[in-house]
């Protein structure tokens, strides 16, 4: 009667270096260098057993990737079936090695093949090792492409946000007109004065006449002072076109004030 084969699982474990390095472990009992592996516990799946055994025999936490193949060989009169997955190890060990393992070493593929003590494991690693390296290289390129895509998306997001920030800053820095600032009062053109003629009464900004200093002096000498009820219109008499300019007769101050009052009435 055939005996039931022993089910085991392990890993082709790579560490990201240049060149990538493979994990090989040294058994304490037989002093042999082998690939990390171990038997399945009751109710345990091969993949879960492979991850657990690699952690116990190498001390490294690993990421499990694609399935690489199955190695079958005779061990103590029974067939042993070992399933292997490609794995990536972290940078530093996270636990001590189990008692059955004396040490772990990380070697390039050629050196790992020379280090292994069992011929069937050397043949298996010689076949699946290059596949593991190609898969690891492809995964690394994809990881870098994703990282570049994420960085480019973040850069585009930052660049898209820059114009809005500039516009808001320009609006904040734009000068604001002062509503309380008084508007400029337009200047009123005055007709030229004849030579020797005193200045006419000054006008306030609102159009209210203000007595000139010399008019006040004449008032003190007895001149009649009349305050008009409304301001005279700001109009100037315009001579007909083509008429020769006539010299204005000289009048005294009282006559000019009376003429001005008549025009204002």
């Amino acid at each position: 009667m055939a005996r039931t084969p022993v089910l085991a699982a392990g890993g082709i474990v790579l560490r990201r270096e240049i060149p990538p390095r493979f994990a090989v472990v040294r058994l304490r009992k037989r002093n042999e260098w082998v690939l990390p592996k171990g038997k399945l516990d009751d109710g345990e799946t091969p993949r879960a057993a492979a991850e657990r055994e690699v952690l116990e025999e190498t001390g490294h936490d690993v990421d499990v990737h694609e399935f690489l193949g199955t190695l079958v060989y005779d061990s103590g009169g029974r067939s042993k079936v070992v399933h292997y997955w490609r794995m990536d190890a972290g940078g530093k060990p996270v636990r001590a090695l189990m008692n059955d393992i004396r040490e772990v070493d990380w070697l390039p593929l050629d050196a790992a093949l020379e280090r292994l003590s069992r011929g069937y494991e050397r043949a298996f690693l010689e076949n699946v090792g290059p596949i593991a390296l190609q898969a690891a290289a492809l995964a690394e390129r994809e990881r870098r492409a994703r990282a570049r895509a994420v960085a480019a998306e973040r850069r585009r997001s930052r660049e898209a946000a820059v114009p809005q920030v500039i516009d808001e800053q320009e609006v904040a820095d734009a000068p604001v007109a002062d509503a309380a600032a008084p508007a400029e009062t337009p200047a009123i053109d005055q007709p030229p004065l004849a030579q020797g003629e005193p200045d006419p009464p000054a006008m306030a900004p609102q159009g209210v006449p203000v007595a000139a200093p010399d008019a006040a002096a004449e008032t003190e000498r007895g001149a009649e002072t009349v305050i008009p009820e409304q301001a005279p219109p700001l109009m100037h008499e315009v001579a007909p076109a083509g008429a020769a300019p006539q010299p204005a007769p000289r009048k005294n101050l009282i006559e000019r004030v009376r003429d001005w009052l008549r025009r204002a009435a």
Side-chain angles (χ1 to χ4, degrees):
M1 182 177 180
R3 302 176 62 181
T4 304
V6 177
L7 299 180
I12 304 300
V13 189
L14 290 171
R15 196 164 62 184
R16 293 177 183 175
E17 295 183 9
I18 301 177
R21 295 177 179 270
F22 291 78
V24 291
V25 296
R26 185 179 183 185
L27 299 177
R28 186 178 297 277
K29 184 177 181 181
R30 297 182 180 180
N31 199 27
E32 294 178 326
W33 288 95
V34 297
L35 296 173
K37 61 185 179 297
K39 293 185 293 186
L40 274 64
D41 292 338
D42 292 340
E44 191 176 29
T45 64
R47 188 181 186 279
E51 184 175 3
R52 174 183 56 77
E53 287 289 341
V54 168
L55 173 63
E56 292 174 353
E57 293 191 0
T58 66
H60 286 260
D61 195 5
V62 293
D63 295 325
V64 183
H65 300 290
E66 65 273 6
F67 177 74
L68 290 177
T70 301
L71 175 62
V72 182
Y73 57 93
D74 183 73
S75 177
R78 299 177 63 181
S79 295
K80 191 169 185 177
V81 179
V82 187
H83 303 292
Y84 285 94
W85 279 261
R86 181 178 70 87
M87 301 182 184
D88 284 332
K92 294 181 179 181
V94 297
R95 56 156 292 171
L97 302 179
M98 63 183 302
N99 293 332
D100 292 345
I101 302 301
R102 177 174 296 179
E103 61 178 314
V104 58
D105 202 358
W106 299 89
L107 303 170
L109 179 58
D110 292 341
L113 290 172
E114 293 179 1
R115 181 71 62 87
L116 290 174
S117 303
R118 300 173 180 176
Y120 52 80
E121 287 192 343
R122 285 196 302 271
F124 181 78
L125 182 60
E126 188 175 6
N127 283 281
V128 302
I131 298 174
L133 291 175
Q134 292 176 1
L138 178 60
E140 179 66 16
R141 287 195 297 269
E142 292 177 351
R143 184 188 67 82
R144 292 180 180 179
R146 288 193 299 268
R148 287 194 297 268
V150 171
E153 182 63 26
R154 291 177 179 174
R155 184 169 59 253
R156 285 193 294 268
S157 299
R158 290 195 300 267
E159 292 174 353
V162 167
Q164 181 179 0
V165 174
I166 293 177
D167 292 344
E168 293 177 355
Q169 187 65 30
E170 289 179 353
V171 171
D173 295 341
V176 180
D178 188 359
E184 292 185 2
T185 303
I188 302 175
D189 295 336
Q190 298 292 339
L193 300 177
Q195 185 175 2
E197 184 178 357
D199 295 336
M203 300 297 294
Q206 292 78 11
V208 179
V210 180
D214 53 353
E218 292 291 339
T219 304
E220 290 180 359
R221 292 195 295 269
E224 182 180 1
T225 303
V226 179
I227 301 176
E229 296 181 357
Q230 63 181 8
L234 299 176
M235 297 178 62
H236 305 294
E237 296 181 359
V238 180
Q246 299 294 331
R250 297 179 62 83
K251 297 181 181 180
N252 59 27
L253 178 60
I254 295 176
E255 290 176 348
R256 288 200 303 273
V257 171
R258 285 177 181 174
D259 291 343
W260 179 78
L261 293 175
R262 280 196 300 272
R263 289 196 300 272

